[in-house]
Amino acid sequence: MSGLGTVLEEEDASELKLGDDFVKAKCLMNAEVALVLQRKYEQLQQLSEDPVSQISQVFEKSLQYVKRFSRYQNPEAVKQVREVLTRNKLHEFEVCVIGNLCPETVEEAKAVIPSIAKKGRLDDERIETMLTDLATIKKFE
Protein backbone atom coordinates (compact mmCIF):
# COMPACT_ATOMS: atom_id res chain seq x y z
CA MET A 1 0.00 0.00 0.00
CA SER A 2 2.82 2.40 0.74
CA GLY A 3 4.10 1.98 -2.84
CA LEU A 4 0.77 3.23 -4.18
CA GLY A 5 0.96 6.38 -2.06
CA THR A 6 4.42 7.11 -3.46
CA VAL A 7 3.18 6.80 -7.05
CA LEU A 8 0.26 9.13 -6.38
CA GLU A 9 2.54 11.71 -4.79
CA GLU A 10 4.97 11.56 -7.72
CA GLU A 11 2.34 12.22 -10.37
CA ASP A 12 0.75 15.66 -10.24
CA ALA A 13 -0.47 17.35 -13.42
CA SER A 14 -0.50 20.77 -11.75
CA GLU A 15 3.27 20.37 -11.31
CA LEU A 16 3.74 18.69 -14.73
CA LYS A 17 4.71 15.48 -12.97
CA LEU A 18 2.86 13.22 -15.38
CA GLY A 19 4.68 9.93 -14.93
CA ASP A 20 7.04 7.98 -17.12
CA ASP A 21 4.53 7.51 -19.94
CA PHE A 22 4.52 11.25 -20.65
CA VAL A 23 8.24 11.97 -20.42
CA LYS A 24 8.88 11.61 -24.16
CA ALA A 25 5.30 11.32 -25.37
CA LYS A 26 3.93 13.51 -28.12
CA CYS A 27 0.42 14.54 -27.07
CA LEU A 28 -2.18 15.31 -29.71
CA MET A 29 -5.15 17.63 -29.45
CA ASN A 30 -8.53 16.17 -30.39
CA ALA A 31 -8.42 18.21 -33.61
CA GLU A 32 -5.08 16.64 -34.56
CA VAL A 33 -6.36 13.14 -33.83
CA ALA A 34 -9.43 13.91 -35.96
CA LEU A 35 -7.21 14.87 -38.90
CA VAL A 36 -5.15 11.68 -38.59
CA LEU A 37 -8.20 9.42 -38.26
CA GLN A 38 -10.04 11.19 -41.09
CA ARG A 39 -7.06 10.69 -43.41
CA LYS A 40 -6.89 6.99 -42.47
CA TYR A 41 -10.66 6.67 -42.96
CA GLU A 42 -10.39 8.12 -46.46
CA GLN A 43 -7.49 5.79 -47.30
CA LEU A 44 -9.48 2.76 -46.17
CA GLN A 45 -12.43 3.84 -48.30
CA GLN A 46 -10.26 4.26 -51.40
CA LEU A 47 -8.32 1.03 -51.01
CA SER A 48 -11.15 -1.32 -50.20
CA GLU A 49 -13.91 -2.71 -52.38
CA ASP A 50 -16.01 -2.94 -49.22
CA PRO A 51 -14.81 -0.03 -47.04
CA VAL A 52 -17.50 -0.55 -44.41
CA SER A 53 -16.10 -3.98 -43.54
CA GLN A 54 -12.57 -2.53 -43.21
CA ILE A 55 -13.53 0.06 -40.61
CA SER A 56 -14.09 -1.14 -37.07
CA GLN A 57 -16.82 0.22 -34.86
CA VAL A 58 -14.16 1.43 -32.40
CA PHE A 59 -12.43 3.36 -35.19
CA GLU A 60 -15.70 4.97 -36.27
CA LYS A 61 -16.70 5.88 -32.71
CA SER A 62 -13.24 7.32 -32.06
CA LEU A 63 -13.44 9.43 -35.21
CA GLN A 64 -16.93 10.66 -34.27
CA TYR A 65 -15.75 11.54 -30.76
CA VAL A 66 -12.71 13.58 -31.76
CA LYS A 67 -14.66 15.37 -34.48
CA ARG A 68 -17.41 16.25 -32.01
CA PHE A 69 -15.02 17.56 -29.37
CA SER A 70 -12.52 19.25 -31.66
CA ARG A 71 -12.58 23.00 -31.28
CA TYR A 72 -10.88 23.48 -34.65
CA GLN A 73 -11.87 21.78 -37.90
CA ASN A 74 -9.67 23.38 -40.55
CA PRO A 75 -6.25 21.65 -40.88
CA GLU A 76 -4.47 24.99 -41.25
CA ALA A 77 -6.15 26.31 -38.10
CA VAL A 78 -5.09 23.19 -36.20
CA LYS A 79 -1.50 23.76 -37.32
CA GLN A 80 -1.64 27.43 -36.27
CA VAL A 81 -3.01 26.51 -32.84
CA ARG A 82 -0.13 24.13 -32.22
CA GLU A 83 2.34 26.80 -33.39
CA VAL A 84 0.89 29.44 -31.02
CA LEU A 85 0.98 27.08 -28.06
CA THR A 86 4.43 25.68 -28.85
CA ARG A 87 5.84 29.18 -29.34
CA ASN A 88 4.89 29.86 -25.73
CA LYS A 89 7.11 26.97 -24.61
CA LEU A 90 4.23 24.95 -23.22
CA HIS A 91 4.66 21.31 -22.27
CA GLU A 92 2.96 18.85 -24.65
CA PHE A 93 0.33 18.12 -21.99
CA GLU A 94 -0.42 21.84 -21.61
CA VAL A 95 -0.65 22.31 -25.37
CA CYS A 96 -3.30 19.62 -25.62
CA VAL A 97 -5.34 20.72 -22.62
CA ILE A 98 -5.47 24.34 -23.79
CA GLY A 99 -6.05 23.28 -27.42
CA ASN A 100 -8.90 20.98 -26.39
CA LEU A 101 -10.59 23.12 -23.75
CA CYS A 102 -9.97 26.57 -25.28
CA PRO A 103 -10.14 28.63 -22.09
CA GLU A 104 -11.40 32.15 -22.73
CA THR A 105 -9.84 34.01 -19.81
CA VAL A 106 -6.50 34.02 -18.05
CA GLU A 107 -8.21 32.86 -14.85
CA GLU A 108 -9.86 29.96 -16.65
CA ALA A 109 -6.55 28.97 -18.27
CA LYS A 110 -4.77 29.00 -14.93
CA ALA A 111 -7.60 26.98 -13.35
CA VAL A 112 -7.44 24.18 -15.93
CA ILE A 113 -3.63 24.27 -16.23
CA PRO A 114 -2.18 25.42 -12.89
CA SER A 115 1.34 24.69 -14.12
CA ILE A 116 1.30 27.68 -16.53
CA ALA A 117 0.93 30.06 -13.62
CA LYS A 118 4.01 28.79 -11.79
CA LYS A 119 6.51 31.53 -10.98
CA GLY A 120 8.80 32.22 -13.89
CA ARG A 121 6.65 30.53 -16.54
CA LEU A 122 3.98 32.68 -18.19
CA ASP A 123 2.73 35.98 -16.83
CA ASP A 124 -0.91 37.01 -17.19
CA GLU A 125 -0.17 39.27 -20.15
CA ARG A 126 1.50 36.49 -22.11
CA ILE A 127 -1.35 34.09 -21.32
CA GLU A 128 -3.87 36.73 -22.44
CA THR A 129 -1.98 37.25 -25.72
CA MET A 130 -1.88 33.49 -26.32
CA LEU A 131 -5.63 33.15 -25.68
CA THR A 132 -6.36 36.13 -27.95
CA ASP A 133 -4.29 34.52 -30.71
CA LEU A 134 -6.26 31.27 -30.33
CA ALA A 135 -9.59 33.13 -30.40
CA THR A 136 -8.50 34.91 -33.58
CA ILE A 137 -7.63 31.59 -35.23
CA LYS A 138 -11.06 30.20 -34.28
CA LYS A 139 -12.84 33.35 -35.49
CA PHE A 140 -11.29 33.17 -38.97
CA GLU A 141 -11.44 29.40 -39.34
Side-chain angles (χ1 to χ4, degrees):
M1 188 76 172
S2 64
L4 180 60
T6 305
V7 170
L8 292 176
E9 290 171 7
E10 290 174 8
E11 294 182 11
D12 181 356
S14 69
E15 298 284 334
L16 287 180
K17 295 177 183 174
L18 304 171
D20 294 339
D21 292 339
F22 281 91
V23 172
K24 294 179 182 175
K26 173 81 170 174
C27 298
L28 297 175
M29 295 178 289
N30 289 338
E32 292 169 317
V33 174
L35 293 174
V36 170
L37 292 181
Q38 184 63 43
R39 191 170 303 129
K40 182 66 176 173
Y41 182 83
E42 290 166 2
Q43 288 173 346
L44 288 171
Q45 286 187 317
Q46 289 174 357
L47 297 175
S48 178
E49 291 178 20
D50 184 15
V52 175
S53 68
Q54 296 296 314
I55 300 168
S56 74
Q57 187 175 6
V58 171
F59 182 94
E60 282 195 57
K61 293 281 185 194
S62 299
L63 179 57
Q64 289 171 6
Y65 175 88
V66 292
K67 280 183 166 183
R68 180 175 182 197
F69 292 104
S70 294
R71 299 292 181 126
Y72 304 92
Q73 308 300 322
N74 179 308
E76 189 57 36
V78 174
K79 181 180 174 186
Q80 289 174 348
V81 167
R82 175 149 302 262
E83 288 171 0
V84 165
L85 297 172
T86 304
R87 177 174 61 228
N88 283 283
K89 308 254 188 284
L90 296 180
H91 184 277
E92 283 288 319
F93 173 76
E94 295 169 321
V95 167
C96 290
V97 173
I98 291 176
N100 287 339
L101 299 179
C102 299
E104 295 179 6
T105 66
V106 171
E107 293 75 24
E108 188 179 356
K110 292 191 310 190
V112 296
I113 316 264
S115 56
I116 65 172
K118 297 292 177 197
K119 188 171 177 86
R121 295 246 10 244
L122 300 175
D123 60 24
D124 286 0
E125 185 178 325
R126 193 156 160 206
I127 296 169
E128 180 69 41
T129 300
M130 179 177 64
L131 297 178
T132 301
D133 290 348
L134 295 177
T136 301
I137 293 168
K138 181 65 180 161
K139 182 178 176 181
F140 292 106
E141 181 181 35

